[in-house]
Amino acid sequence: MDGFKGKIASSLQFRLSSWLALVIICVAVAAGIFSFAAALTEANELQDDQLRQVAALLNDHRLSADPPMVSRHAADSDPEFRVIVQALPPAGASPAAPVAGMLRLPANLSDGIQTVVVHDVSWRLLVRSLDAGGRVAVGQQTAVRDEIARDSAVRTLMPFLILIPILLVLVGYLIRQIFKPLRRLASEIDHRSEQDVREVRDTGLPTEIKPFVVAINRLLSRVAQSVAAQRRFVADAAHELRSPLTALSLQAESLAGAAMSEEAKVRLKKLGAGLQRTRLLLDQLLAMARAQQPAAPAATVIAVQDAFRSVLEDLLPLAEARHIDVGVVGENGATLTIADVDLKTLLKNLVENAIRHSPPGGRVDLSVETTPGHVIVRVDDTGPGIAAHEREKVFSPFYRVLGNDELGSGLGLSIVKAIADRVGASIDLGASAPSQTAPGLRVTVTFPVSAT
């Protein structure tokens, strides 16, 4: 959890989104407070203007402000919009006797807008002297005015409350879209095999990122040169060793016909086995070097059943020597668009491994199946199988399962994996078919349609 939090905290996208969201929220809060205060002030001023207009209407049209009339209007009006109009005695005169429905306002109220508390109720009043004589008070309850002002101010804030979350979502979406080319680039590099050292494309990347891509491409170029030099060295060394090794093998075969003691024959047999193992290692080193070449040989359309027959012709002597029954099942019309040498090298290594690791009298089955989008090749054997925790390790060069005394160098599955990666195929190791009596191993190679 701590690592995940640290990863988020160090994310440029997360920090950019967080700071933008914080700035937007702060600006929105400040703007909201300002708008609320301005709307509240504007609403109060508007209501004060209404009081002035009512007083001006009374003065210009010489309307009566007698208490009975005012009381009737007050009773019929909406409380939220009620405006009281009440006649006041002249300044200095004694207050009139109270009338039902009228406020007991002080007679000494000065002209102008003011706030007066009457019977614990706050009123906003405009007192004005009329041209025709007399004075009038026009007012509203302060609580009603404040409620109207607050409602108006809240309606002013509604666009902020609705649009700010939408703005935050849009900003987050836009930032994700801006960083999408970087995620695509990271995914492209992450899904490459270790053999793929092609240049990284900078199409569609931001200008600020292109220098990093250029540096990565230069590094990949240097790595490709170094790896190519190592592969050439291995291939050249294996090729140069084949001639002297062949000469040693021929001399050992000639020596086998000479008269010698039993002890010498035993030692000569061990020497021949060692020479055979070394020749196999050299052949596989050369095959590995070819399989790891970044540029694949020219691809052609190949019938998988024909490739099966070609491989079995080469391995039939080994199968007969170990009394292994090799069978081919599956569809006859399955084809692959792949280099002939790649397919045969892949199949030969799989079938040879299956034959060598099956006990005498065992069985090896080759099958092919076509599905929408894929061609699936399977090789089943009746050998001891491979433990689940070792199934990834066996693809490493020179890795051999403990307890395995069969002739080999541990490069067979490495060659298969290198060819599969180059042609875009996937490999799965699992238990053999349930019909097999021994544990066995099933190797499944799935070729995509793009390679078919």
Side-chain angles (χ1 to χ4, degrees), residues 18 34 36 38 49 57 71 89 99 137-138 149 163 184 186 193-194 215 239 257 287-288 368 438 450:
S18 300
F34 177 79
F36 185 87
D49 286 341
L57 182 65
S71 178
V99 178
V138 182
L163 294 178
R184 184 170 60 247
S193 68
E194 63 275 9
H239 183 75
M288 187 73 172
V368 60
S450 57

Side-chain angles (χ1 to χ4, degrees), residues 13 54 62 64 82 167 176 189 210 240 246 307 327 336 343 372 383 390 394 398 405 408 420:
Q13 178 178 334
V54 172
R62 303 178 182 275
S64 175
R82 183 180 299 167
L167 178 60
R176 286 194 298 272
I189 296 177
K210 288 186 178 181
E240 291 298 326
T246 301
L336 285 170
L343 181 59
E390 289 190 300
V394 295
F398 303 107
D405 296 329

Side-chain angles (χ1 to χ4, degrees), residues 40-374:
L40 193 64
T41 302
E42 184 70 21
N44 285 321
E45 291 178 353
L46 179 61
Q47 293 178 97
D48 287 344
D49 286 341
Q50 289 177 347
L51 298 180
R52 294 188 182 94
Q53 291 172 8
V54 172
L57 182 65
L58 290 171
N59 182 65
D60 295 341
H61 296 275
R62 303 178 182 275
L63 298 177
S64 175
D66 292 335
M69 182 188 70
V70 175
S71 178
R72 287 195 303 271
H73 283 282
D76 295 337
S77 61
D78 187 345
E80 291 190 357
F81 298 97
R82 183 180 299 167
V83 177
I84 66 103
V85 179
Q86 182 173 327
L88 294 177
S94 300
V99 178
M102 294 185 61
L103 300 178
R104 299 192 63 178
L105 300 175
N108 59 350
L109 290 176
S110 59
D111 287 2
I113 292 181
Q114 53 203 289
T115 301
V116 179
V117 178
V118 180
H119 299 300
D120 297 329
V121 177
S122 179
W123 290 82
R124 184 73 169 172
L125 298 177
L126 170 65
V127 179
R128 176 169 179 173
S129 298
L130 300 176
D131 295 342
R135 302 171 71 218
V136 67
V138 182
Q140 285 180 302
Q141 287 190 22
T142 305
V144 174
R145 289 166 50 93
D146 291 344
E147 181 180 355
I148 295 173
R150 284 194 299 269
D151 290 344
S152 176
V154 168
R155 285 192 293 271
T156 304
L157 287 179
M158 290 304 296
F160 287 93
L161 299 177
I162 295 174
L163 294 178
I164 292 304
I166 297 176
L167 178 60
L168 292 175
V169 172
L170 288 177
V171 167
Y173 172 77
L174 290 176
I175 290 177
R176 286 194 298 272
Q177 292 300 113
I178 291 172
F179 279 86
K180 192 174 182 179
L182 298 182
R183 292 195 298 272
R184 184 170 60 247
L185 175 63
S187 177
E188 177 188 345
I189 296 177
D190 186 55
H191 285 83
R192 286 189 178 190
S193 68
E194 63 275 9
Q195 310 298 334
D196 189 354
V197 290
R198 291 176 293 114
E199 286 191 352
V200 178
R201 294 175 300 174
D202 59 0
T203 306
L205 292 178
T207 305
E208 293 80 4
I209 303 299
K210 288 186 178 181
F212 293 95
V213 176
V214 172
I216 291 173
N217 286 336
R218 290 174 180 171
L219 176 62
L220 289 176
S221 177
R222 293 193 295 269
V223 170
Q225 294 175 2
S226 176
V227 171
Q230 293 179 6
R231 289 172 181 166
R232 284 196 301 271
F233 172 77
V234 172
D236 292 343
H239 183 75
E240 291 298 326
L241 287 172
R242 293 184 69 180
S243 297
L245 192 61
T246 301
L248 287 175
S249 298
L250 292 174
Q251 292 178 7
E253 291 175 3
S254 300
L255 186 60
M260 62 183 68
S261 63
E262 290 298 325
E263 182 180 359
K265 290 181 180 180
V266 171
R267 293 184 178 181
L268 183 60
K269 185 176 180 181
K270 292 181 178 179
L271 175 62
L275 291 173
Q276 183 180 1
R277 183 186 294 271
T278 305
R279 291 184 63 182
L280 177 62
L281 172 61
L282 294 179
D283 290 340
Q284 289 191 323
L285 284 174
L286 288 172
M288 187 73 172
R290 287 193 297 268
Q292 290 180 340
Q293 291 296 327
T300 57
V301 179
I302 301 173
V304 178
Q305 293 285 354
D306 293 343
F308 282 168
R309 283 192 290 271
S310 177
V311 168
L312 292 181
E313 288 176 1
D314 294 337
L315 297 177
L316 188 60
L318 177 62
E320 291 177 345
R322 298 181 60 84
H323 306 287
I324 302 297
D325 181 16
V326 181
V328 177
V329 296
E331 304 172 9
N332 291 324
T335 61
L336 285 170
T337 302
I338 188 175
D340 181 73
V341 64
D342 281 346
L343 181 59
K344 290 182 179 178
T345 301
L346 183 146
L347 292 175
K348 182 177 180 180
N349 279 277
L350 290 179
V351 176
E352 185 174 0
N353 276 353
I355 293 174
R356 290 188 182 278
H357 292 89
S358 295
R363 180 178 178 83
V364 173
D365 290 325
L366 285 73
S367 62
V368 60
E369 175 188 358
T370 59
T371 63
H374 297 90

